[in-house]
Amino acid sequence: MEIGIDKIGMYTPNQYVDLVELAIHRKIDPDKFTIGIGQDKMAVAPLSQDTISMAANAAAQILSDADKAAIDLVILGTESGVDNSKAGALYVQRLLGISNKARVLEIKEACYGATAGLQFAKLHIAQNPKAKALVIGSDIARYGLDTSGEVTQGAGAVALLVAANPRILALDMRSAYYSSEINDFWRPLDQLIAEVDGKYSNEAYIKFFQMVFEDYQQQTGYQLSDFAAMVFHLPYTKMGLKALRKVLDQTDAAHQDSLQQHYQQSTLYSRRIGNIYTGSLYLAFLSLINNDMTLQPGMRIGLYSYGSGAVGEFFSGTLQGNYLDMLDPMHYLEMFENRTKLSIAEYEAQFKKQLTPGIEAQKLITTDLNAPYYFAGIQAKQRQYKAGAKSV
Ligand code: COA
């Protein structure tokens, strides 16, 4: 029995900062951001979009009523969750009308959380072939104004429907993983902004990739030449390329070119959105399959997940026969075209407002008329979520 990704949906907030403008404002050469880092725009979440509403918006796009009845596992991977106890996935379950006969939980391990959820879901479906699982990665990445990490901020969510006989990507059962307690990125409980040792995180990302890719090759006998494309967790689009280059000499020149061309297609969405932490690997996968018209069913795609702290995992899957029928690339082009560009002053004002503590009794209105759900504020210490104009 094949198990894997049957549907995939994505949501990103409807406002962004142009990174050339940000570079000029910060007195930095714009080429550093667009070439050295590989980012053009960064999504900015308004107060009315948090990890829960973004997760619901990503999932709302793909779930049918039959899916909602069949789902018996909902997992939210996030590292910017809104409650220290309650799983954000419970709000998503209620908002979307997913069956109550479901296990519902949240997973945290930096940007790796959604991959842990996907592997959990795969094993769950192996034991319950008629069930479906919803796995979502949803995050707002914040490093702070005028920090070296600022250019790698972003916001968004990716939702995966995991099922038997998947129509997009069948996952192999084997995967290779490695973990080690390190301090490359972390966020103490009393902070809204992460602590990061950026250079160390780059090194760890690459080292973990080399280890798990080698382990995977030993486990499976696959060579680099068996992979049509490799997709990476993308904190910024140059990062995955740095890792890919470490193994490129394992294959011939023509295949090296091909892997790098596919890689560029996998970065198109991240270039316009930025880092969405847990969802970033799956955003790269969505970008690849939506934009790369040279892919064919049956091709093997490798996926590298990395969460600081740190855990790395490499796994792979094969594209399914009619995977193109399951996609809606126009939807994302419209989503990008309908975004509003913030001036640097507007972005900075919003960023500071987000960091103001104590929003008790604050009511919010939605600023994204195309978003099915939004965060409406806090009443009696309880978070309020509402359906927007385009609720489904
Ligand atoms: N034109 C073109 N490229 C330029 C440039 C210019 N004018 N100026 C600098 N660059 C290049 C640098 O050569 C470097 O390229 P390289 O990495 O291929 O060597 C790149 O731009 C970044 O420059 P650097 O000086 O290293 O940037 P930085 O000190 O500002 O930090 C990060 C970059 C990614 C470490 C920082 O943004 C960060 O900490 N981000 C958050 C953590 C993160 O994303 N970690 C990833 C693993 S999870």
Side-chain angles (χ1 to χ4, degrees):
M1 178 179 65
E2 304 271 37
I3 301 169
I5 299 171
D6 189 53
K7 294 184 180 180
I8 179 169
M10 185 270 282
Y11 173 79
T12 187
N14 69 340
Q15 44 178 27
Y16 70 93
V17 166
D18 183 292
L19 293 176
V20 170
E21 288 180 15
L22 184 67
I24 292 167
H25 195 83
R26 300 276 183 254
K27 300 187 170 46
I28 293 171
D29 181 351
D31 286 354
K32 174 176 177 182
F33 286 3
T34 57
I35 300 169
I37 299 281
Q39 293 298 129
D40 297 326
K41 293 173 180 167
M42 111 188 151
V44 177
L47 272 184
S48 56
Q49 287 296 336
D50 67 5
T51 49
I52 291 168
S53 61
M54 292 193 303
N57 289 333
Q61 194 207 320
I62 55 170
L63 299 185
S64 67
D65 288 344
D67 294 331
K68 292 174 189 177
I71 289 170
D72 69 353
L73 175 65
V74 185
I75 301 177
L76 174 64
T78 185
E79 58 181 292
S80 51
V82 296
D83 194 289
N84 284 328
S85 170
K86 182 174 171 181
L90 284 160
Y91 293 94
V92 176
Q93 177 196 33
R94 178 179 60 77
L95 286 170
L96 298 185
I98 291 169
S99 167
N100 290 98
K101 291 184 78 173
R103 283 191 181 128
V104 177
L105 64 143
E106 185 169 306
I107 291 183
K108 177 178 69 183
E109 182 1 61
C111 302
Y112 172 73
T115 298
L118 178 60
Q119 298 297 355
F120 187 140
K122 188 175 77 180
L123 298 175
H124 176 74
I125 301 297
Q127 287 188 324
N128 306 277
K130 289 187 180 159
K132 295 186 181 187
L134 176 64
V135 178
I136 313 171
S138 180
D139 274 301
I140 299 171
R142 282 199 190 100
Y143 289 92
L145 300 176
D146 209 4
T147 62
S148 66
E150 182 180 32
V151 63
T152 66
Q153 297 177 149
V158 178
L160 308 172
L161 186 67
V162 182
N165 305 315
R167 287 170 287 181
I168 296 179
L169 189 77
L171 295 169
D172 278 28
M173 287 311 276
R174 277 177 293 205
S175 70
Y177 31 84
Y178 182 86
S179 56
S180 176
E181 193 269 318
I182 62 170
N183 287 305
D184 61 333
F185 173 108
W186 67 103
R187 187 164 62 85
L189 282 177
D190 58 348
Q191 289 186 205
L192 286 170
I193 287 178
E195 297 291 328
V196 62
D197 182 340
K199 304 278 186 236
Y200 184 29
S201 70
N202 287 354
E203 287 165 19
Y205 175 111
I206 292 171
K207 186 177 140 208
F208 278 46
F209 168 67
Q210 289 175 292
M211 284 190 292
V212 293
F213 187 52
E214 187 182 340
D215 181 10
Y216 192 77
Q217 288 175 298
Q218 282 171 1
Q219 280 190 47
T220 61
Y222 291 137
Q223 302 301 313
L224 183 58
S225 53
D226 292 307
F227 296 91
M230 304 268 271
V231 289
F232 292 81
H233 164 55
L234 294 177
Y236 55 96
T237 69
K238 185 84 166 288
M239 184 72 252
L241 189 58
K242 288 179 187 222
L244 178 62
R245 283 178 177 154
K246 293 286 182 191
V247 298
L248 270 182
D249 64 1
Q250 296 178 13
T251 191
D252 62 40
H255 191 231
Q256 288 183 19
D257 284 349
S258 170
L259 285 170
Q260 290 182 92
Q261 279 167 23
H262 290 306
Y263 178 82
Q264 293 308 326
Q265 301 297 315
S266 78
T267 64
L268 296 177
Y269 290 172
S270 298
R271 269 193 167 272
R272 296 181 215 180
I273 293 175
N275 192 359
I276 60 168
Y277 288 161
T278 46
S280 287
L281 168 62
Y282 304 97
L283 183 65
F285 175 64
L286 181 65
S287 179
L288 177 78
I289 58 177
N290 268 346
N291 293 298
D292 195 328
M293 293 305 130
T294 66
L295 291 173
Q296 299 289 330
M299 283 182 165
R300 179 165 299 281
I301 312 290
L303 298 98
Y304 173 58
S305 183
Y306 177 79
S308 290
V311 181
E313 179 156 346
F314 187 88
F315 57 105
S316 76
T318 48
L319 287 173
Q320 297 302 284
N322 296 318
Y323 78 94
L324 286 172
D325 294 346
M326 303 304 293
L327 305 178
D328 185 7
M330 287 306 294
H331 173 78
Y332 298 107
L333 287 180
E334 283 166 20
M335 191 183 267
F336 290 129
E337 273 168 20
N338 288 332
R339 295 193 299 178
T340 302
K341 185 172 79 169
L342 297 178
S343 68
I344 304 305
E346 288 168 329
Y347 148 65
E348 290 186 340
Q350 284 199 20
F351 192 94
K352 288 174 188 159
K353 203 171 164 196
Q354 282 175 335
L355 300 184
T356 304
I359 51 172
E360 174 64 16
Q362 184 174 341
K363 286 187 183 164
L364 300 170
I365 54 164
T366 183
T367 54
D368 184 351
L369 295 177
N370 291 315
Y373 299 99
Y374 69 101
F375 171 47
I378 295 179
Q379 297 296 321
K381 295 195 176 180
Q382 297 173 9
R383 296 183 81 83
Q384 309 293 314
Y385 292 91
K386 289 192 175 164
K390 285 211 174 167
S391 63
V392 287

